[in-house]
């Protein structure tokens, strides 16, 4: 039996790869998990009540695009957060988590050719792995642009050769960035939108960490696009309740964009999507409408930023994240350091190279580890101190 080869060269996914590296070694102490960005803060207690009150909805097939109540809650949130008014019927759609949307956007929107040549999809490097797989699925060439200290830990797409930009059909961008915690400024968005208009490509803006920040809310691409009067079909926004509301298991994501964009994604989703059950949609609508718990959640992460800043004060190369809940810590070799930490202390982190592409010596994540600050504060502080004393002392 024959199997397709389109994904045969994919590297092993980051977390199975991590298990292969660590699991046949014994931990050197009490295990502290700092690998996966799975939020551990409490979600609003009333969420379960809403699900229970709407449990009869489990009997019916849920609407593919999201209930009217959920779509209205999403557009209301976009208006509050970004100052942009959108039509709940034509500009937004509910997703079963944003990974689905980030993948299907490429499937639904990227053409087979650009200027008679194989299309290019731009990806930051390091990156969320779905960007690469989505690119390969539509037979586009994923072009990875290093996001390092030299570029403010965001990709410099403007520096690409014209022959690459002339083939570009879409650019993924994550702000706040995973894993570096860098935030795209208004000037960055202006430059990227103008570049996209000059070379006629789409921007897929992954803003899933937008509600976790230190002091100032990150500028959103929709805000800047509206100020510039950009073509609404050029910008596609993705966000979710996973990080904002500690509800990764609820699987409530959103996609927002121009009417034709949403129409095409919706059409694909009619065949290939898995809609959120109605009781979960009812809960999601209530959560999108509430900001009190978001402020409380953000305050907890702000305390964790302070802990990290205190623990790593004086550590050369430490970069305090602007937003998100990861630390991107410099080391000599990420994989070797990860194994050493595990064997000597029981602290479990992720090698930066597992989140990026490049040959040895050319991989921008090779000399980093990613540390998720999702554990309770006491455990987090102990884990960070143990990590610091092991690799920086």
């Amino acid at each position: 039996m024959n199997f397709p080869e389109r994904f045969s060269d994919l590297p092993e996914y980051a977390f199975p790869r991590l298990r292969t590296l660590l699991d046949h070694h014994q931990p050197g102490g009490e295990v502290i998990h700092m690998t996966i960005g799975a939020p551990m803060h409490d979600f609003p207690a009333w969420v379960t009540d809403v699900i229970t009150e709407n449990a009869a909805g489990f009997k019916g097939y849920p609407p593919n695009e999201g209930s009217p109540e959920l779509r209205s809650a999403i557009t209301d949130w976009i208006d509050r957060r970004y100052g942009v008014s959108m039509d709940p019927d034509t500009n937004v759609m509910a997703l079963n988590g944003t990974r689905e949307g980030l993948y299907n956007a490429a499937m639904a929107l990227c053409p087979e050719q650009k200027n008679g040549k194989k299309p290019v999809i731009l990806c930051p490097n390091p990156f969320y792995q779905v960007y690469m797989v989505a690119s390969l699925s539509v037979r586009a060439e994923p072009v990875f642009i290093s996001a390092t200290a030299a570029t403010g830990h965001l990709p410099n797409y403007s520096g690409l050769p014209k022959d690459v930009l002339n083939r570009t059909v879409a650019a993924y961008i994550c702000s706040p960035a995973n894993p570096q915690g860098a935030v795209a400024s208004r000037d960055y968005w202006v430059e990227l939108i103008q570049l996209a208009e000059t070379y006629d490509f789409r921007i897929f803006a992954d803003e899933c960490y937008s509600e976790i920040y230190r002091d100032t809310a990150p500028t959103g691409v929709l805000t800047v696009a509206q100020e510039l009067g950009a073509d609404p079909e050029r910008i596609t926004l993705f966000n979710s309740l996973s990080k904002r509301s500690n509800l990764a298991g609820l699987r409530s994501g959103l996609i927002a964009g121009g009417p034709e964009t949403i129409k095409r994604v919706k059409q694909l989703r009619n065949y290939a999507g898995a809609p959120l059950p109605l009781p979960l949609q009812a809960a999601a609508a209530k959560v999108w409408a509430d900001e009190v718990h978001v402020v409380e959640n953000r305050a907890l992460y702000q305390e964790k930023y302070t802990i990290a800043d205190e623990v790593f004060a004086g550590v050369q190369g430490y970069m305090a994240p602007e937003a998100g809940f990861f630390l991107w810590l410099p080391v000599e070799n990420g994989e070797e350091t990860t194994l050493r930490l595990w064997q000597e202390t029981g602290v479990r982190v992720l090698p930066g190279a597992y989140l990026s592409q490049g040959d040895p010596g050319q991989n921008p994540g090779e000399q980093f580890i990613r540390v998720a600050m999702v554990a309770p504060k006491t455990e987090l502080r102990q884990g960070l101190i143990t990590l610091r004393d092991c690799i920086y002392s």
Side-chain angles (χ1 to χ4, degrees):
M1 181 176 291
N2 294 324
F3 291 92
E5 297 184 0
R6 65 179 68 95
F7 302 126
S8 60
D9 293 332
L10 285 181
E12 189 176 19
Y13 198 68
F15 298 108
R17 191 176 174 186
L18 180 67
R19 291 193 290 271
T20 299
L21 175 69
L22 300 183
D23 284 0
H24 61 284
H25 299 281
Q26 290 299 311
E30 182 179 355
V31 176
I32 300 179
H33 291 280
M34 300 179 127
T35 54
I36 300 176
M40 295 184 186
H41 297 168
D42 292 335
F43 57 78
W46 43 261
V47 167
T48 51
D49 295 332
V50 177
I51 294 172
T52 300
E53 291 165 5
N54 290 272
F58 282 121
K59 293 189 298 184
Y61 287 113
N64 175 64
E65 66 276 11
S67 68
E69 294 79 11
L70 176 54
R71 286 183 282 111
S72 292
I74 288 171
T75 53
D76 287 347
W77 177 78
I78 289 173
D79 195 4
R80 293 196 310 274
R81 176 62 175 82
Y82 300 112
V84 176
S85 297
M86 303 195 103
D87 185 336
D89 294 326
T90 61
N91 289 129
V92 299
M93 190 171 70
L95 299 173
N96 197 324
T98 51
R99 179 163 57 179
E100 172 212 338
L102 290 163
Y103 181 85
N104 281 338
M107 297 291 288
L109 302 172
C110 292
E112 291 78 6
Q113 290 187 334
K114 175 80 178 287
N115 293 325
K117 297 180 180 180
K118 185 175 183 176
V120 160
I121 294 180
L122 305 180
C123 303
N125 196 22
F127 60 98
Y128 185 32
Q129 305 298 294
V130 71
Y131 306 161
M132 173 175 64
V133 176
S135 304
L136 296 175
S137 296
V138 297
R139 297 186 179 276
E141 177 187 352
V143 173
F144 301 100
I145 310 303
S146 294
T148 64
T151 62
H153 291 285
L154 294 169
N156 177 21
Y157 292 146
S158 298
L160 290 169
K162 287 185 178 181
D163 65 317
V164 173
L165 291 169
N166 281 327
R167 290 194 293 131
T168 298
V169 294
Y172 283 103
I173 180 69
C174 185
S175 174
N178 171 12
Q180 308 97 317
V183 172
S185 66
R186 182 186 182 281
D187 288 345
Y188 184 94
W189 285 127
V190 168
E191 183 177 32
L192 181 57
I193 292 169
Q194 290 176 342
L195 187 72
E197 294 194 320
T198 298
Y199 289 95
D200 191 25
F201 62 81
R202 297 175 182 273
I203 297 170
F204 293 156
D206 181 356
E207 297 191 22
C208 286
Y209 296 89
S210 66
E211 305 313 288
I212 301 173
Y213 52 84
R214 286 181 180 260
D215 302 307
T216 304
T219 300
V221 67
L222 291 181
T223 304
V224 180
Q226 179 173 265
E227 291 173 0
L228 296 177
D231 181 354
E233 304 294 346
R234 195 167 302 287
I235 314 297
T236 310
L237 172 74
F238 304 86
N239 212 317
S240 81
L241 295 178
S242 296
K243 283 76 177 178
R244 170 189 182 270
S245 303
N246 306 309
L247 283 165
L250 190 65
R251 309 312 302 142
S252 179
L254 71 86
I255 179 173
E260 187 63 26
T261 293
I262 299 303
K263 176 182 176 182
R264 289 176 178 268
V265 176
K266 185 186 299 184
Q267 175 69 351
L268 175 62
R269 199 168 195 274
N270 282 332
Y271 290 94
L276 198 66
L278 275 169
L280 304 189
Q281 292 195 33
K286 295 287 187 182
V287 176
W288 281 113
D290 182 71
E291 293 295 332
V292 173
H293 75 280
V294 182
V295 174
E296 295 171 349
N297 184 49
R298 183 161 51 244
L300 293 175
Y301 281 113
Q302 289 168 343
E303 292 178 19
K304 292 181 177 184
Y305 294 146
T306 299
I307 291 171
D309 292 346
E310 291 172 352
V311 170
F312 293 106
V315 171
Q316 186 174 3
Y318 169 67
M319 180 186 69
E322 296 178 70
F325 51 54
F326 295 114
L327 298 179
W328 190 236
L329 298 178
V331 294
E332 289 187 7
N333 181 290
E335 194 170 57
E336 292 176 2
T337 299
T338 296
L339 180 56
R340 176 186 165 196
L341 269 172
W342 176 248
Q343 290 180 302
E344 294 185 10
T345 72
V347 173
R348 197 174 178 99
V349 299
L350 188 69
Y354 291 9
L355 300 169
S356 48
Q357 286 285 298
D359 295 330
Q362 303 296 319
N363 187 317
E366 196 170 52
Q367 294 183 306
F368 290 87
I369 55 173
R370 192 188 77 173
V371 180
M373 297 193 294
V374 294
K377 288 182 292 183
T378 300
E379 181 180 343
L380 174 71
R381 182 183 291 276
Q382 182 56 53
L384 294 182
I385 291 172
T386 302
L387 183 157
R388 179 200 63 194
D389 291 348
C390 178
I391 66 177
Y392 294 119
S393 296

